[in-house]
Each structure stands twice: as structure tokens, then as C-alpha cells.
């Protein structure tokens, strides 16, 4: 048996880093297999370049027509994420302390993703041509083989590609929610106001929608990898399809609601957007101050307390921007070293989607009553109903993912079916005047706690026993399950 001898502090390589297994079972040593092609890096680089070039072309068209306002906003949403991506790549790869002038120069030219993708391709094509000694061992629990701890030998090439992959995941999220999402909102609003769609504008809108959906998909994958770092996580194709439909419908409905509302009440949409942004920005800090915690250590060894605060503020800003458009899939814990809360907060998930549904409903209703003459040829009630139905479908696909497609669903103590049943049963019991029925069986694949009543007193002492109160026992069983669920959340 091999033991992990290296102590690494780069936790961003979550799928490659070694982890400690708390229970002792048979350890199966597996040699590392062939390195997977870096398709995700190619996709992220293509989306970055395509959006940047298309936005630049659209800016030139705005300049020719003297649309200064549209040009200014388009340029801002083009350059802001590009600059932040260069900083993120430089920070993750720690290039400031290394002698790499060409790489730093290309970052100054906003070509950082291109050179990083080229480096990853070089590493991939060179791997396997000569035998490499492993530099570390990754120890994970394989859920598909009965939760057996397994070990993988990680070579130098595979480790370098893991660093590149995780860096590109972060940049994809930055590009999606600091650039693509506001860019798509702006161009859709501009198209409605000008009553025509330029080919370049339509192309940019399609690219940004793909970028946002991909970024939201990466958010889900990163959240699962961070939360279940001790397990070998593998998503199946149907799970990816479910996430894409869920995220695509959620984001498209949200952006359309904001744009329609902005066409009716232009100045009020600024209040709605800033209110969402500030709420989600300050929420982690308020929770941090309420817990009286201290700032997370080891975010970066060379950072002062001020530098750590700036990095955490930027991280919180990204978190807030994600939640303005869709569910971020994680909750921040600024006192924790990984900055991510590992518990699955079902109550936060339910509150977010209920609140967002109500918010979208209010925005669409206000648009319906204050809409302009531009929509006289549009069936407004049908459009409003379609938006609400699409958001409901997004929630449905989200529930399907957590119920059937989540790679770690067997670790859930309670699943979606159990949560919904307990809530519905409790509501039905109140409406039914206190009548209680037997709980139907759960269809979860996870283990669920079942409270078994003790032996009836009639069997122990028939003479002195009292009648068995099944109503009270069912009520206590339901209350215990709800209490357990609240503790888990």
C-alpha cells in the first residue's frame, strides 16, 4: 500500500488531490489510465475568443452609427471579464514569481486563455510517449463499486493538465456571469428598443447564451467536486443533459423577465438589479460577522490581511453576480479555508427558487400593465404564461437531477421525494382536520431513517395496558423526520 506523502495547499485541484479516508477497508491500487483530452479547455477558449471578437465587431458597428451608449456598455462587458480572467489565470498558475516574460506579455494582450490552452495541448500530446514516475497518489472512494477506497497514481503530465482544467473552470464562470450574462441582457434590450436585430448582435447573443449555460454547468460540477471531495465523482450523459435544460431555461427566463421589465420601467430595473447584487454580496459577510469568525487563512501565503480581504471581496462579487441570474449551487463560508460550505442546504435552495419565482412573477406582471406599444402585436398573456411555465420546468428538471441524476445521491440522508412528501403530508394533515394516514414508502435510493414503534403494551401486559394511539405515533414520526431534515440543512 502506498501512503500519500506530499502535503499540497492547492485545493483547487479537487479531483486530483489526495484525501484521507476515515474508515479502514480493502484499498485497491489502480494505475493511472490514459489522460483525457482537454475538450473543456478548448470549448472555454473558443467561447472566450468568439465572444471577444464578435463584441469587438459589434462595437465597431456602434461606432459607425454613433451609438455611443450601446458601444460603451458593450465595450465594458467585453473588457471587464477579459481583464479578470487574465488576473485569475496568473494567480492560479503563480506566474508572477516565475521567469516567463512571453506568457505575461500575452496576458497583457488579453490572450492568456489562448496561450494556456496551447500549453495544455502540448502537455497532452507529449504525455504517454515516455514513462513518467508518479508525483502523488489520489485516494478517492468509488461509489459505483460499493464505496471502496481506491488509489490512482498521478503523473506529472496528468497533474499539470488538472491544474489547467481547474483554472479554465474558474475562468468559464467569470466569463459567463461577469461578461456574458450582462452582455446578453444589454443586447436583447438594445434590440427591443431599436426594433431590429443586427446579424452581429444576434450572433453575440447566441454565443453569450451558450457561454452562460456552460458557466452554470461548470458551477454545478465544481460545487459537487468541492462538497464531495473524498469521492470519485462522475456525471453521466443524462445528468449533463438534465443540467443543461435546467440551467438554460432558468437563465433564459430570468434574463427575458429583466429585459421585458426594463422596457416598461427603465429606471426601476436598476433598483432591482442593484438590490439583488448588494443582497447576495453582503449576505456572506453578514453571516460571517454574525458568527464572529475570523478571515480564512492560507488563501494565499504571501497575502496580507488587506490582500486577503480584497480577494474575498472579488470572490463574493462573483458569487453575487451568479445569484442575480441563477442559483450558484454553493453557499459561501468566509471563515472556512475552502470558502465553501460543504453541507447541502436544502432550505436555502427552496427559499431561493420560491423567492426568485415570486420576483419573476412580479416583474412580468408589472411589464404586462406598463408595456409599451411595441408589444401590441404580441400576445402578452401568452408570453407571460410561457415565461412562468419555462421557469417551472427549470425547477422540475432541477428536482429530477437531485432525485435521480446526482452522482452522490446515495449519500443523501433525505432526498427530494422525502422532503416534498413531508411538506405535503404536513399540509394535508392540517387541511384534513387532523386526520393522519400512513406514510407511503420512499422511492429514494438513499438510506432513510425510519422510526419503528416499540412493542404494543397489549402484548406485554394485556390487563394494565392502554389502547395504542397510532395518531400520536405517526405525528411523532413525522416531527422527528422534519427535525432531522432541519439539522441536515
Amino acid at each position: 500500500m502506498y501512503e500519500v506523502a506530499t502535503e499540497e495547499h492547492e485545493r483547487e485541484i479537487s479531483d486530483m488531490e489526495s484525501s484521507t479516508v476515515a474508515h479502514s477497508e480493502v484499498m485497491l491500487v489502480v494505475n493511472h489510465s490514459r489522460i483525457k483530452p482537454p475538450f473543456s479547455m478548448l470549448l472555454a477558449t473558443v467561447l472566450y475568443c468568439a465572444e471577444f471578437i464578435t463584441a469587438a465587431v459589434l462595437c465597431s458597428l456602434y461606432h459607425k452609427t454613433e451609438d455611443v451608449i450601446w458601444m460603451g456598455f458593450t465595450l465594458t462587458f467585453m473588457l471587464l471579464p477579459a481583464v479578470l480572467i487574465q488576473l485569475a489565470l496568473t494567480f492560479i498558475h503563480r506566474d508572477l514569481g516565475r521567469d516567463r516574460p512571453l506568457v505575461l506579455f500575452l496576458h497583457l494582450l488579453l490572450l492568456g486563455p489562448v496561450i494556456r490552452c496551447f500549453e495544455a495541448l502540448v502537455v497532452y500530446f507529449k504525455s504517454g510517449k515516455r514513462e513518467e514516475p508518479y508525483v502523488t497518489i489520489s485516494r478517492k472512494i468509488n461509489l459505483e463499486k460499493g464505496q471502496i477506497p481506491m488509489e490512482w497514481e498521478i503523473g506529472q503530465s496528468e497533474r499539470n493538465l488538472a491544474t489547467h482544467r481547474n483554472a479554465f473552470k474558474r475562468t468559464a464562470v467569470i466569463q459567463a456571469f461577469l461578461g456574458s450574462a450582462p452582455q446578453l441582457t444589454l443586447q436583447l434590450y438594445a434590440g427591443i428598443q431599436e426594433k431590429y436585430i443586427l446579424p452581429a448582435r444576434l450572433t453575440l447573443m447566441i454565443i453569450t447564451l451558450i457561454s452562460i449555460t456552460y458557466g452554470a454547468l461548470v458551477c454545478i460540477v465544481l460545487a459537487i467536486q468541492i462538497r464531495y471531495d473524498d469521492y470519485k465523482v462522475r456525471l453521466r450523459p443524462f445528468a449533463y443533459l438534465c443540467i443543461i435544460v435546467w440551467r438554460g431555461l432558468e437563465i433564459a427566463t430570468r434574463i427575458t423577465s429583466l429585459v421585458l421589465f426594463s422596457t416598461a420601467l427603465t429606471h426601476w430595473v436598476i433598483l432591482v438589479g442593484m438590490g439583488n447584487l448588494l443582497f447576495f454580496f453582503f449576505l456572506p459577510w453578514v453571516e460571517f460577522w454574525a458568527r464572529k469568525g475570523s478571515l480564512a487563512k492560507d488563501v494565499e501565503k504571501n497575502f496580507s490581511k488587506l490582500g486577503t480581504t480584497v480577494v474575498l471581496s472579488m470572490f463574493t462579487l462573483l458569487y453575487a453576480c451568479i445569484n442575480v441570474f441563477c442559483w450558484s449551487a454553493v453557499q459561501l463560508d468566509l471563515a472556512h479555508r475552502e470558502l465553501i460550505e460543504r453541507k447541502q442546504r436544502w432550505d436555502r435552495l427552496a427559499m431561493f427558487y420560491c423567492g426568485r419565482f415570486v420576483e419573476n412573477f412580479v416583474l412580468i406582471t408589472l411589464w404586462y400593465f406598463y408595456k409599451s406599444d411595441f408589444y401590441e402585436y404580441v400576445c402578452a398573456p401568452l408570453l407571460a404564461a410561457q415565461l412562468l411555465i419555462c421557469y417551472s420546468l427549470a425547477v422540475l428538471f432541477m428536482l429530477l437531477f437531485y432525485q435521480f441524476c446526482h452522482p452522490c445521491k446515495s449519500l443523501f440522508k433525505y432526498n427530494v421525494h422525502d422532503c416534498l412528501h413531508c411538506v405535503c403530508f404536513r399540509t394535508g394533515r392540517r387541511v384534513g382536520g387532523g386526520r393522519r394516514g400512513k406514510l407511503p414508502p420512499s422511492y429514494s435510493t438513499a438510506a432513510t431513517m425510519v422510526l419503528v414503534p416499540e412493542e404494543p403494551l397489549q402484548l406485554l401486559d394485556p390487563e394494565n395496558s392502554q389502547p395504542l394511539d397510532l395518531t400520536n405515533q405517526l405525528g411523532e414520526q413525522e416531527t422527528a423526520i422534519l427535525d432531522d431534515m432541519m439539522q441536515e440543512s
Side-chain angles (χ1 to χ4, degrees):
M1 293 299 139
Y2 296 102
E3 294 182 358
V4 180
T6 57
E7 297 180 359
E8 297 292 337
H9 295 284
E10 300 175 5
R11 295 289 296 184
E12 51 268 71
I13 315 178
S14 56
D15 51 79
M16 294 297 177
E17 201 65 44
S18 58
S19 58
T20 305
V21 180
H23 54 281
S24 58
E25 294 182 3
V26 178
M27 186 69 65
L28 182 61
V29 178
V30 181
N31 292 327
H32 58 83
S33 59
R34 180 177 175 81
I35 299 176
K36 297 179 180 179
F39 291 131
S40 60
M41 288 178 272
L42 285 172
L43 177 59
T45 305
V46 169
L47 288 175
Y48 171 81
C49 295
E51 184 173 343
F52 192 92
I53 294 173
T54 310
V57 172
L58 188 58
C59 284
S60 66
L61 295 178
Y62 286 147
H63 178 70
K64 291 179 180 179
T65 56
E66 297 183 354
D67 292 325
V68 180
I69 297 178
W70 302 139
M71 183 185 70
F73 280 111
T74 303
L75 196 62
T76 300
F77 296 140
M78 177 185 74
L79 294 178
L80 177 62
V83 173
L84 293 177
I85 285 173
Q86 314 308 315
L87 295 176
L89 288 174
T90 305
F91 174 78
I92 293 174
H93 290 279
R94 305 176 187 274
D95 285 329
L96 293 179
R98 302 164 63 184
D99 187 16
R100 306 189 67 187
L102 177 60
V103 173
L104 293 177
F105 177 71
L106 291 175
H107 275 292
L108 291 176
L109 297 179
L110 304 180
L111 294 176
V114 178
I115 186 61
R116 298 297 181 183
C117 184
F118 179 76
E119 288 180 348
L121 290 174
V122 170
V123 172
Y124 170 73
F125 286 114
K126 283 186 176 180
S127 64
K129 293 185 178 180
R130 58 184 180 85
E131 187 175 355
E132 296 180 343
Y134 68 89
V135 295
T136 186
I137 292 179
S138 172
R139 180 180 297 177
K140 298 282 183 182
I141 299 176
N142 196 324
L143 294 174
E144 297 179 354
K145 298 185 179 181
Q147 297 193 15
I148 299 178
M150 305 179 70
E151 290 183 346
W152 286 265
E153 298 176 355
I154 306 300
Q156 185 65 43
S157 298
E158 193 170 358
R159 187 176 180 81
N160 291 339
L161 277 179
T163 305
H164 282 292
R165 282 194 180 96
N166 284 277
F168 271 90
K169 288 177 182 177
R170 274 73 178 172
T171 59
V173 175
I174 294 173
Q175 177 70 31
F177 295 101
L178 293 181
S180 300
Q183 189 76 270
L184 176 59
T185 307
L186 171 69
Q187 301 307 326
L188 183 58
Y189 176 77
I192 294 176
Q193 291 295 96
E194 296 184 352
K195 299 181 177 57
Y196 67 92
I197 300 294
L198 294 170
R201 180 185 292 157
L202 179 60
T203 304
L204 181 59
M205 290 168 59
I206 295 174
I207 294 173
T208 51
L209 181 59
I210 296 174
S211 176
I212 300 168
T213 305
Y214 177 69
L217 171 65
V218 170
C219 278
I220 296 292
V221 176
L222 280 176
I224 295 174
Q225 289 178 347
I226 293 173
R227 186 170 287 125
Y228 302 97
D229 187 47
D230 295 336
Y231 296 88
K232 185 68 176 177
V233 177
R234 180 185 177 187
L235 272 74
R236 300 192 177 277
F238 185 74
Y240 282 110
L241 178 63
C242 197
I243 295 174
I244 290 173
V245 176
W246 158 28
R247 292 307 214 173
L249 289 174
E250 179 183 5
I251 293 167
T253 306
R254 174 62 174 172
I255 292 179
T256 305
S257 301
L258 288 172
V259 171
L260 290 179
F261 177 75
S262 64
T263 58
L265 301 169
T266 305
H267 301 291
W268 284 97
V269 75
I270 300 175
L271 179 62
V272 173
M274 292 303 297
N276 274 271
L277 185 66
L278 294 177
F279 174 79
F280 288 109
F281 179 83
F282 286 109
L283 180 62
W285 290 100
V286 171
E287 293 178 343
F288 170 74
W289 290 324
R291 295 171 184 172
K292 298 180 180 179
S294 58
L295 288 177
K297 298 180 181 179
D298 295 333
V299 174
E300 176 59 37
K301 292 181 179 179
N302 299 324
F303 278 3
S304 62
K305 199 164 186 178
L306 177 61
T308 302
T309 305
V310 172
V311 171
L312 293 180
S313 299
M314 295 300 298
F315 191 70
T316 312
L317 177 62
L318 177 60
Y319 168 79
C321 290
I322 295 173
N323 280 285
V324 168
F325 295 97
C326 67
W327 171 243
S328 63
V330 294
Q331 290 79 47
L332 296 188
D333 184 1
L334 301 180
H336 195 273
R337 180 177 177 272
E338 293 179 346
L339 306 178
I340 300 296
E341 189 173 343
R342 289 207 172 197
K343 288 184 179 181
Q344 181 69 46
R345 300 290 299 272
W346 297 108
D347 56 340
R348 288 285 185 88
L349 182 68
M351 286 190 295
F352 177 87
Y353 276 100
C354 290
R356 184 52 56 84
F357 183 86
V358 172
E359 183 186 355
N360 287 344
F361 176 78
V362 172
L363 294 179
I364 294 171
T365 304
L366 291 174
W367 163 78
Y368 178 77
F369 286 108
Y370 293 97
K371 63 181 182 295
S372 61
D373 295 336
F374 174 73
Y375 301 99
E376 60 182 356
Y377 299 108
V378 177
C379 184
L382 179 61
L383 179 58
Q386 287 175 340
L387 290 174
L388 295 177
I389 291 173
C390 286
Y391 196 81
S392 301
L393 288 175
V395 175
L396 175 62
F397 276 97
M398 182 266 294
L399 296 177
L400 289 176
F401 171 75
Y402 280 107
Q403 175 70 25
F404 300 108
C405 304
H406 197 285
C408 301
K409 62 180 181 294
S410 59
L411 301 177
F412 295 165
K413 189 173 183 181
Y414 298 106
N415 65 352
V416 175
H417 174 268
D418 298 324
C419 298
L420 292 178
H421 172 70
C422 285
V423 173
C424 295
F425 179 76
R426 190 173 187 178
T427 305
R429 180 163 56 88
R430 290 175 179 174
V431 174
R435 292 182 302 171
R436 297 176 177 88
K438 185 177 180 182
L439 289 170
S442 171
Y443 301 101
S444 170
T445 57
T448 305
M449 180 183 295
V450 179
L451 302 179
V452 181
E454 297 182 0
E455 290 293 332
L457 294 177
Q458 290 89 340
L459 300 179
L460 300 177
D461 191 357
E463 296 182 359
N464 301 323
S465 61
Q466 298 293 330
L468 184 63
D469 191 353
L470 293 176
T471 302
N472 276 341
Q473 288 186 2
L474 266 178
E476 292 173 359
Q477 177 179 356
E478 179 201 353
T479 304
I481 292 178
L482 289 174
D483 290 343
D484 260 352
M485 289 167 56
M486 292 303 295
Q487 291 175 5
E488 284 295 319
S489 64

